[in-house]
Amino acid sequence: MVSTLSKNYNCYSAGPGLFPRTLSNGHRETWDESEARVRALNAVIADVPEFKVITPTNTDLVAWPEEKQARVCLRKDLYLAAHCDITFADVTPFGGREPDAGTLVEAVTCALSGGLLVLWADPLTTFEEKYADADVHPDSFLDKHYNLMLEQLFYWSWETQFGAAHSVFGSLKEAVEETARLVRAHGLKRIPLLDKVNDDTDAPDMVAMVKALLD
């Protein structure tokens, strides 16, 4: 078990795990089976006693008219991503080559609002591997990145909190253990990256360039 931390942290578990999928043996999961998988993932996070797991759910949406349910769901999930201390985001490709789009929105919301963003994927594949059969950025250094903009946001979140970036984790267990270790050593504070976008102390030339485009 991971070492005990000094306080409780709300951890938002983001990812497409709640959706049933067709397994490699051809079996189509039921909703109960997919929920069991999510419970198993959440147990990995809950193995840290001070990590409280929060998973998005649509259980209470029936309280709103059907035409409002999607908007209510969006606001609820964004609120959780914006206010939880840590978001563990599963960025394993879902239904194609890229991560689940809803998970990406939650991940960005977390980092920009000041939570710690933690990315993991299983299996962990590079951008180049995923697009080996496609004409995407041929002969470009971009091929070496897993997911350029999201990965950079992840790096930025960790650099802001811990002074050093970390590569995308290859499993949730690895992500949880390393996150718990660093939070125990350094603590955790809300530092909204959105506030740093206009900060010209980090990259003054970039800020000046962008401001010139807007004038």
Side-chain angles (χ1 to χ4, degrees), residues 98-171:
E98 291 300 304
D100 170 60
T103 301
L104 301 189
V105 172
E106 293 166 336
V108 172
T109 299
C110 161
L112 294 184
S113 62
L116 177 67
L117 175 60
V118 185
L119 300 185
W120 67 278
D122 184 14
L124 181 62
T125 54
T126 65
F127 194 92
E128 185 175 18
E129 290 169 338
K130 288 189 298 180
Y131 287 92
D133 62 338
D135 185 19
V136 180
H137 302 301
D139 302 320
S140 168
F141 74 95
L142 293 177
D143 287 345
K144 299 184 177 116
H145 291 275
Y146 175 72
N147 183 301
L148 184 62
M149 293 189 72
L150 185 66
E151 193 168 0
Q152 290 298 324
L153 192 62
F154 167 53
Y155 296 161
W156 194 12
S157 179
W158 277 58
E159 288 167 353
T160 301
Q161 288 288 345
F162 306 127
H166 198 289
S167 57
V168 177
F169 291 97
S171 71

Side-chain angles (χ1 to χ4, degrees), residues 42-63:
N42 288 350
V44 175
I45 302 174
D47 193 43
V48 179
E50 288 75 18
F51 277 4
K52 176 184 177 182
V53 187
I54 296 174
T55 304
T57 176
N58 296 337
T59 302
D60 298 324
L61 285 186
V62 292

